[in-house]
């Protein structure tokens, strides 16, 4: 009954998505402020749909937990001997399950929006829910018509084939769900943007509703990308933290667009500016998440991240991509001219700095998009082209360097208009840190240009992040400002880690006999033994490495070469020794004919700062959300008190009392 309950819940949720879409659409036909009676069903339809979609996902989760081998998806992606945690994470470690998770989070977000958001005019809310229902309906159709997660086998399988061994890691419990939640947050921002555009209600009130969703999506994407980077770093055994893999890029592109959107919507909420920018970026951010969905699930890519290899599914998603995004940009083209222009500002203002950095982010996004899609386009003409770091790194740096410089100065500028001469001390300090850091590092050796620039920018940005606090009473600094400071400092920390890893990494590849020792930096690595070991669903050859730093007490590392039997696959399990100033990374290779073992060891100075910085960025976003929500709650509370006071005055015979009388 598990599969039948889940499938029935999906069909009912799809039907409610239709009701939500139609009922919300009737809100656009409201006249003279009177609500259309048919529009009242949009909110309850969204809430009940959310319950049903979540129920469907829980049914699939239960099926994986008990290894129900009568369900095709479980039989092809699980195994009775797998640890429970990998059974559960296997629910979304495949195409159908991941799409059901996507739909579940999408419906839950729509339900939360419908159930708790009361600030938007009902006409705008109706239009927003109609768009959200339209988006959900497409994914329900995709699941039910081409990717049914509850399909039964004619005869239950005797045993499952298991999950991809590379996905049998705790990272699968963190990385995909947070990314999906971030993508879905962008779908809500997209629906809000379309709703406001359709009703011509693009204003600060709309932006204050949209901002928490954008911030939340951005935080989740930041955390998901950070977790995914570290997962790939230790799991794949390549020693790198970012490979410019097309599917990695597919998660980076929505993050870049969301970063620009986050700043634009904040300006609109606070200063009533960048109205058109905000709508356009709302569409663009969701477009990138849809493109990422297409790349991962279309079968056009071969990657450890990609799930589907069925071109029919890819065509379905491509159709949804064209329908949603093509339609959204068409509406934007028709309606953008009707959006009233916001308040003007000068180029030398905080708004001007944000616009400049939005342009830089958009340029980097275009570079990543081109580098990701170009090999796919050339392959259609039987020409294979590989695009990697030699393209992405310098091309992105052209726009990233000025962006980081403006990021250091922008928060110091005043709103609307400012004079750079007012910031002579701050500008001199930032320039001195940038130039001094580059000169200091250059004194100790010759390094590539990009790591040098990265170290200089990290130093300048790290100090500049705290300059907005200069001269202020720390106790009275808004929580959202602390969030900005922490996020910008996190960027500096990550940039420092990236530059150090690139400039100072030391590597040693050697064939070592048991008892042999190799030196990597300050570490002496001795191969003590190589022995066979076994796990619940794998066997392995495990090396025992004794690692001594500067002659100190040895620490044991145990890298492995694993062989999984269901499904049959070999993997390399790295071993890490973490210090405050970096990581020692060890991988076991093959055995040579003379009995020696191939050992590859890296010393990566400050590489962990890459992920520490990512966590700081996400934490800064969380603080910003908390601060903004706190301010909004206070604003609503004050408005309610004012309305109550006006009502009391009118009841006492004072006549109509304007809002200013509060």
């Amino acid at each position: 009954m598990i599969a039948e309950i889940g499938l029935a819940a999906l069909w009912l949720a799809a039907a409610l998505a239709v009701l939500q879409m139609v009922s919300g659409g009737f809100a656009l036909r409201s006249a003279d402020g009177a609500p259309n009676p048919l529009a009242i069903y949009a909110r309850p339809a969204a809430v009940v749909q959310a319950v049903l979609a979540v129920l469907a996902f829980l049914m699939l989760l239960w099926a994986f937990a008990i290894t129900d081998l009568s369900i095709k998806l479980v039989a092809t992606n699980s195994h009775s001997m797998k640890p429970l945690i990998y059974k559960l994470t296997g629910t979304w470690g495949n195409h159908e399950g991941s799409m059901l998770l996507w739909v579940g989070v999408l419906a839950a977000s729509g339900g939360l929006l419908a159930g708790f958001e009361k600030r938007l005019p009902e006409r705008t809310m109706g239009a927003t829910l109609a768009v959200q229902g339209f988006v959900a309906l497409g994914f329900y159709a995709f699941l039910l018509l081409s990717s049914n997660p509850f399909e039964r086998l004619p005869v239950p399988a005797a045993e499952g084939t298991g999950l991809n061994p590379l996905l049998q890691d705790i990272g699968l419990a963190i990385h995909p769900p947070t990314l999906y939640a971030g993508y879905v947050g962008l779908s809500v921002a997209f629906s809000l943007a379309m709703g406001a555009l359709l009703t011509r209600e693009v204003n600060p009130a709309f932006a204050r509703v949209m901002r928490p969703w954008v911030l939340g999506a951005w935080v989740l994407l930041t955390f998901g990308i950070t977790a995914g980077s570290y997962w790939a770093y230790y799991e794949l055994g390549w020693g790198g933290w970012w490979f410019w893999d097309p599917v990695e890029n597919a998660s980076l592109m929505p993050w870049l667009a969301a970063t620009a959107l986050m700043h634009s919507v904040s300006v609109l909420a606070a200063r009533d500016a960048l109205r058109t920018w905000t709508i356009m970026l709302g569409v663009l951010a969701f477009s990138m998440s849809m493109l990422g969905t297409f790349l991962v699930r279309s079968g056009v890519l071969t990657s450890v991240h990609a799930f589907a290899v069925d071109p029919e599914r890819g065509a379905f998603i491509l159709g949804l991509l064209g329908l949603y995004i093509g339609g959204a940009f068409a509406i934007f083209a028709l309606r953008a001219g009707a959006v009233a222009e916001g308040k003007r500002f000068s180029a030398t203002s905080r708004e001007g700095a944000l616009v400049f950095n939005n342009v830089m982010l958009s340029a980097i996004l275009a570079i990543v998009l081109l580098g990701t899609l170009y090999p796919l386009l050339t392959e259609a003409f039987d020409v294979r082209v590989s695009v990697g770091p030699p393209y992405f790194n310098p091309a992105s740096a052209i726009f990233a360097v000025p962006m980081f410089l403006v990021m250091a100065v922008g928060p110091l500028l005043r709103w609307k208009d400012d004079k750079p001469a007012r910031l002579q001390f701050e500008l001199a300090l930032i320039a001195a840190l940038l130039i001094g850091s580059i000169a200091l590092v250059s004194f100790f050796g010759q390094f590539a240009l990009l790591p040098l620039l990265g170290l200089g920018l990290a130093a300048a940005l790290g100090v500049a992040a705290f300059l907005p606090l200069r001269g202020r009473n720390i106790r009275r600094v808004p929580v959202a400002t602390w969030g900005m400071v922490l996020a910008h400092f996190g960027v500096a920390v990550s940039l420092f880690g990236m530059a150090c890893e690139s400039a100072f990494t030391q590597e040693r590849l050697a064939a070592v006999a048991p008892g042999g020792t190799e030196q990597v930096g300050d570490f002496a690595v001795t191969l003590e033994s190589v022995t066979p070991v076994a796990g619940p669903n794998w066997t392995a050859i495990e090396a025992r490495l004794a690692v001594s730093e500067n002659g100190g007490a040895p620490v044991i590392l145990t890298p492995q070469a694993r062989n999984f039997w269901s499904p049959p696959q070999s993997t390399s399990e790295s071993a890490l020794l973490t210090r405050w100033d970096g990581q020692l990374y060890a991988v076991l290779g093959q055995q040579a004919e003379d009995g020696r073992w191939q050992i590859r060891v890296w010393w990566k100075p400050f590489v962990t700062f890459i992920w520490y910085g990512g966590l700081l960025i996400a934490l800064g976003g969380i603080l910003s959300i908390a601060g903004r929500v706190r301010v909004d709650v206070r604003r609503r509370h004050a408005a309610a008190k004012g309305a109550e006071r006006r009502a009391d005055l009118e009841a006492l015979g004072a006549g109509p009392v304007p809002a200013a009388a509060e």
Side-chain angles (χ1 to χ4, degrees):
M1 287 295 292
I2 296 175
E4 287 70 27
I5 293 173
L7 189 59
L10 266 184
W11 277 106
L12 289 172
L16 286 170
V18 175
L19 176 61
Q20 175 184 330
M21 179 180 66
V22 174
S23 180
F26 275 110
L28 292 172
R29 302 179 65 86
S30 301
D32 300 326
N36 190 302
L38 295 177
I40 62 173
Y41 302 107
R43 284 183 185 266
V47 173
V48 178
Q49 179 201 152
V51 173
L52 290 169
V54 172
L55 174 63
F57 178 75
L58 291 177
M59 289 297 101
L60 187 63
L61 190 69
W62 185 11
F64 270 85
I66 64 174
T67 317
D68 185 347
L69 296 175
S70 68
I71 298 176
K72 181 180 178 180
L73 189 65
V74 178
T76 54
N77 291 278
S78 191
H79 192 283
S80 61
M81 296 183 66
K82 280 199 314 181
L84 178 61
I85 181 63
Y86 298 145
K87 289 182 180 180
L88 296 177
T89 57
T91 307
W92 55 82
N94 55 80
H95 170 72
E96 293 85 350
S98 64
M99 289 306 301
L100 182 57
L101 174 61
W102 171 293
V103 167
V105 179
L106 178 69
S109 300
L112 289 172
L113 182 69
F116 295 100
E117 183 52 62
K118 309 297 182 185
R119 289 171 291 175
L120 282 178
E122 281 303 312
R123 191 164 176 265
T124 304
M125 175 57 77
T128 298
L129 292 178
V131 175
Q132 189 76 356
F134 181 54
V135 171
L137 181 61
F139 284 102
Y140 285 127
F142 178 64
L143 274 173
L144 293 168
L145 301 179
S146 71
S147 302
N148 179 10
F150 297 104
E151 182 181 350
R152 290 279 193 186
L153 290 171
V155 178
E159 186 54 273
T161 57
L163 179 67
N164 184 337
L166 290 174
L167 300 179
Q168 294 185 34
D169 187 272
I170 193 63
L172 186 63
I174 302 171
H175 172 59
T178 50
L179 278 185
Y180 296 158
Y183 291 157
V184 168
L186 294 180
S187 80
V188 176
F190 167 77
S191 298
L192 285 165
M194 286 293 97
L197 185 62
L198 288 168
T199 58
R200 296 183 175 88
E201 293 287 347
V202 183
N203 52 41
F206 143 77
R208 283 191 285 271
V209 173
M210 186 183 190
R211 182 167 53 191
W213 291 99
V214 176
L215 276 168
W218 180 80
V219 167
L220 289 165
L221 287 173
T222 301
F223 186 74
I225 291 171
T226 301
S229 170
Y230 190 66
W231 179 18
Y233 167 75
Y234 72 75
E235 178 65 27
L236 297 180
W238 299 344
W241 56 272
W242 190 263
F243 306 102
W244 293 109
D245 179 282
V247 184
E248 287 179 327
N249 296 347
S251 65
L252 177 63
M253 290 187 289
W255 183 86
L256 291 169
T259 304
L261 174 60
M262 173 184 64
H263 290 96
S264 288
V265 76
S266 295
V267 172
L268 176 55
R271 306 298 301 173
D272 193 14
L274 305 184
R275 292 184 176 188
T276 306
W277 257 102
T278 301
I279 298 298
M280 182 189 69
L281 288 171
V283 175
L284 181 63
F286 183 59
S287 302
M288 292 300 102
S289 67
M290 284 292 297
L291 178 62
T293 303
F294 168 72
L295 290 174
V296 175
R297 292 167 177 82
S298 63
V300 300
L301 296 177
T302 300
S303 166
V304 297
H305 304 82
F307 289 132
V309 293
D310 185 349
E312 291 184 7
R313 292 172 174 174
F316 201 124
I317 296 177
L318 187 61
L320 291 179
L321 178 65
L323 182 63
Y324 294 153
I325 306 310
F329 276 114
I331 294 173
F332 178 79
L334 293 172
R335 291 272 188 156
V339 176
E341 185 178 355
K343 294 182 179 178
R344 294 181 176 273
F345 52 85
S346 72
T348 54
S349 65
R350 190 176 299 186
E351 297 98 322
L354 288 170
V355 169
F356 178 85
N357 273 3
N358 278 357
V359 173
M360 295 298 102
L361 284 166
S362 300
I364 296 171
L365 172 58
I367 288 168
V368 177
L369 180 63
L370 176 63
T372 303
L373 296 183
Y374 181 70
L376 303 179
L377 297 175
T378 59
E379 191 172 343
F381 298 95
D382 294 326
V383 178
R384 294 188 176 273
V385 177
S386 177
V387 179
Y391 161 77
F392 286 107
N393 290 345
S396 299
I398 293 172
F399 300 98
V401 169
M403 181 186 73
F404 288 135
L405 290 173
V406 173
M407 184 191 301
V409 178
L412 306 175
L413 295 170
R414 292 170 176 162
W415 293 108
K416 192 175 180 180
D417 189 26
D418 203 354
K419 303 296 182 184
R422 186 182 63 84
L423 302 174
Q424 288 182 356
F425 170 77
E426 290 85 353
L427 292 174
L429 176 62
I430 292 170
L433 286 167
L434 175 65
I435 297 171
S437 299
I438 293 175
L440 180 63
V441 175
S442 300
F443 179 77
F444 291 99
Q446 292 185 341
F447 301 98
L449 176 61
L450 288 184
L452 272 179
L453 286 173
L455 289 168
L457 288 167
L461 186 57
V463 173
F466 293 94
L467 289 180
L469 305 178
R470 181 169 171 260
R472 301 178 68 170
N473 185 340
I474 298 299
R475 295 181 179 179
R476 299 179 65 86
V477 173
V479 176
T481 300
W482 279 111
M484 177 197 70
V485 169
L486 191 60
H488 285 193
F489 181 67
V491 172
V493 171
S494 281
L495 192 58
F496 176 74
M498 295 173 193
C500 286
E501 193 272 343
S502 177
F504 307 127
T505 291
Q506 300 178 55
E507 179 183 359
R508 178 66 175 165
L509 173 62
V512 185
T517 300
E518 295 292 332
Q519 190 75 26
V520 182
D522 295 333
F523 296 88
V525 182
T526 301
L527 176 62
E528 292 190 343
S529 63
V530 179
T531 56
V533 294
N537 59 339
W538 51 264
T539 58
I541 299 297
E542 180 179 276
R544 180 180 171 88
L545 302 177
V547 179
S548 176
E549 183 179 7
N550 293 321
V555 177
I556 302 301
L557 297 182
T558 55
Q560 297 176 344
R562 287 186 183 178
N563 289 297
F564 289 79
W565 61 72
S566 184
Q569 186 172 333
S570 298
T571 66
S572 179
E573 300 294 319
S574 62
L576 304 176
L577 175 62
T578 302
R579 294 287 185 258
W580 74 270
D581 59 343
Q583 274 188 338
L584 191 75
Y585 187 112
V587 176
L588 174 64
Q590 299 295 319
Q591 186 178 26
E593 293 181 358
D594 60 2
R596 294 185 299 170
W597 289 88
Q598 187 183 76
I599 302 292
R600 186 186 293 267
V601 184
W602 291 269
W603 167 243
K604 295 177 171 292
F606 299 103
V607 67
T608 51
F609 280 46
I610 297 171
W611 304 294
Y612 294 153
L615 294 177
L616 287 174
I617 295 169
L619 180 58
I622 292 171
L623 286 179
S624 293
I625 294 172
R628 302 298 185 190
V629 170
R630 183 182 181 188
V631 170
D632 286 345
V633 168
R634 286 182 173 179
R635 182 183 289 113
R636 279 184 279 176
H637 182 70
K641 284 288 188 182
E644 183 180 342
R645 177 174 173 77
R646 289 195 303 274
D648 290 342
L649 290 173
E650 291 173 6
L652 292 173
V657 180
E662 295 173 16

